[in-house]
Structures are given as structure tokens and as C-alpha cells.
Amino acid sequence: IDAQWPSIMLSAALCDTQRFKPAETLMIGRSFEKSARFAYRAGMSCLLVLDTLEGQLQLTKEMRRECLPDYVAPSLGHVV
């Protein structure tokens, strides 16, 4: 069982049950390690909201490779 977040099994289940295509999906989140990595592993684009960025900057080199977002916004208010 893939019990770690971000779960590849969860993304596959979401794609299967909700019938969306990862290449056409935008993951919006506030965490490099969770949201951006989930999107990367699932083949989705990612919008990272920076309003809770503090404390997330101490990432390992390996984590940075999987955690680079496609888009960045200073807050959700800048997106809506």
C-alpha cells in the first residue's frame, strides 16, 4: 500500500474515478513538499500559493527536483 503523501495510488484512483486527465489538471496548494510533489508525481501542473511558505525552504536537493511548481502566486486572492 502506498501510504505516504503524496500518494501515487491516490492520484491514480482520482484520475480513474473522477475521469480527469492529469495533463489537463492544475493542482493548487501551499506546500512544496506535499502539493507540488503530488502534482509532479501525478503528471499535473502545479500552482503554489506562497502565503505559508515560511519553514518550507529547507528542502533537500532531491525534494527540490520534484517540488518545483509550474506557477506561483503570493496568495489565493491573486488567483481568483
Side-chain angles (χ1 to χ4, degrees):
I1 294 176
D2 184 8
Q4 286 188 343
W5 180 263
S7 169
I8 295 170
M9 289 177 61
L10 175 61
S11 64
L14 286 171
C15 291
D16 187 44
T17 61
Q18 301 303 310
R19 308 275 190 247
F20 66 82
K21 298 175 185 169
E24 298 174 4
T25 303
L26 177 66
M27 172 72 172
I28 299 174
R30 290 186 163 111
S31 168
F32 272 116
E33 189 173 353
K34 294 179 182 174
S35 304
R37 183 180 261 180
F38 180 84
Y40 174 83
R41 289 181 174 179
M44 302 174 190
S45 294
C46 179
L47 167 67
L48 185 68
V49 179
L50 296 179
D51 57 357
T52 59
L53 184 62
E54 216 173 308
Q56 296 186 50
L57 299 177
Q58 300 301 321
L59 299 174
T60 65
K61 220 176 204 180
E62 179 184 323
M63 291 166 69
R64 287 184 196 146
R65 191 189 92 235
E66 289 189 351
C67 296
L68 293 176
D70 299 288
Y71 310 99
V72 176
S75 73
L76 275 178
H78 287 84
V79 178
V80 182

